[in-house]
Every structure is written in structure tokens, then in C-alpha cells.
Amino acid sequence: KDTIIGRITFLLVRIKIKHMELAIIKRETFGSGQAMFHESESMGHLEIMDGTPVRGDLVPIRWFLTGLDLTPTIRDVHHRFSVRYFLNLVIVDEEDHTYYKQQEITLWRH
């Protein structure tokens, strides 16, 4: 039942895009002060597009999360532990330059 739904609209296209993918990154933080550790793990990725879009193109996104092992977002338990999730958009152009956009998301259980 869990789904990420969205769309990407191309208003201006100045680069020739080879492909675009979306990934969910789980970032755990534990410890405090100088002993703070960060650990990141890719939970899954989805190829959204293959090829160059034109101005005005709309790419719909519907990603079903049932096959991924996700837990709820946990923020700063006693300032020592947190689990956060990020959507990471990766665009690769024809010259193999990579462009990133990252957005934090919040997951919860009912």
C-alpha cells in the first residue's frame, strides 16, 4: 500500500540527459559529540527515464515500496540516535556528468 507518487516537469532543458534515476537513502546517526557516527545505505533505486526530454515533458512517478525493508523515521532519541530517509534524484548527461537533488522524507506507521 505504501507508494511514492510524484512527477517531474521539464520547464527548460539545456543538457542532453542520458538517464535519470531515483533512490531512497537511509541515513543512521548514532553517538554524541566527537564520537558521532553516520552510516548511509541505499534501500532501493528506480530508473525513471532513459533518453533526452523536450521542454514541457512530464514524467509521472509511482514507486511501490512493498519490497523495501523500511522503518519509520526516528529523530534525535536523547540526541544520540536518529534514522532519516532521503529521496535522491540522479541525472546523468551524455558527457557522463552527474547532477544530484536530495530531499528528506518522513516515513511513519499507522
Side-chain angles (χ1 to χ4, degrees), residues 1-3 70-73 106-110:
K1 294 182 179 181
D2 298 328
T3 308
L70 302 174
T71 60
T73 299
T106 301
L107 302 177
W108 66 88
R109 286 197 179 130
H110 288 298

Side-chain angles (χ1 to χ4, degrees), residues 33-76:
Q34 295 293 330
M36 181 77 69
F37 296 99
H38 305 281
E39 188 173 301
S40 295
E41 177 183 359
S42 177
M43 303 303 291
H45 69 279
L46 174 71
E47 186 169 334
I48 298 173
M49 189 181 74
D50 190 19
T52 303
V54 295
R55 182 179 175 196
D57 271 357
L58 179 86
V59 179
I61 299 169
R62 179 167 285 155
W63 189 1
F64 297 100
L65 303 177
T66 54
L68 303 176
D69 185 27
L70 302 174
T71 60
T73 299
I74 302 170
R75 294 183 191 263
D76 298 327

Side-chain angles (χ1 to χ4, degrees), residues 18 20 25 29 39 41 50-51 68 78 81-82 91 95:
K18 189 188 320 183
M20 179 171 35
I25 308 296
T29 305
E39 188 173 301
E41 177 183 359
D50 190 19
L68 303 176
H78 299 291
F81 179 74
S82 67
I91 298 174
E95 298 174 359

Side-chain angles (χ1 to χ4, degrees), residues 9-17 52-57:
T9 305
F10 292 92
L11 301 175
L12 179 64
V13 181
R14 288 192 234 166
I15 59 174
K16 295 197 182 251
I17 296 174
T52 303
V54 295
R55 182 179 175 196
D57 271 357

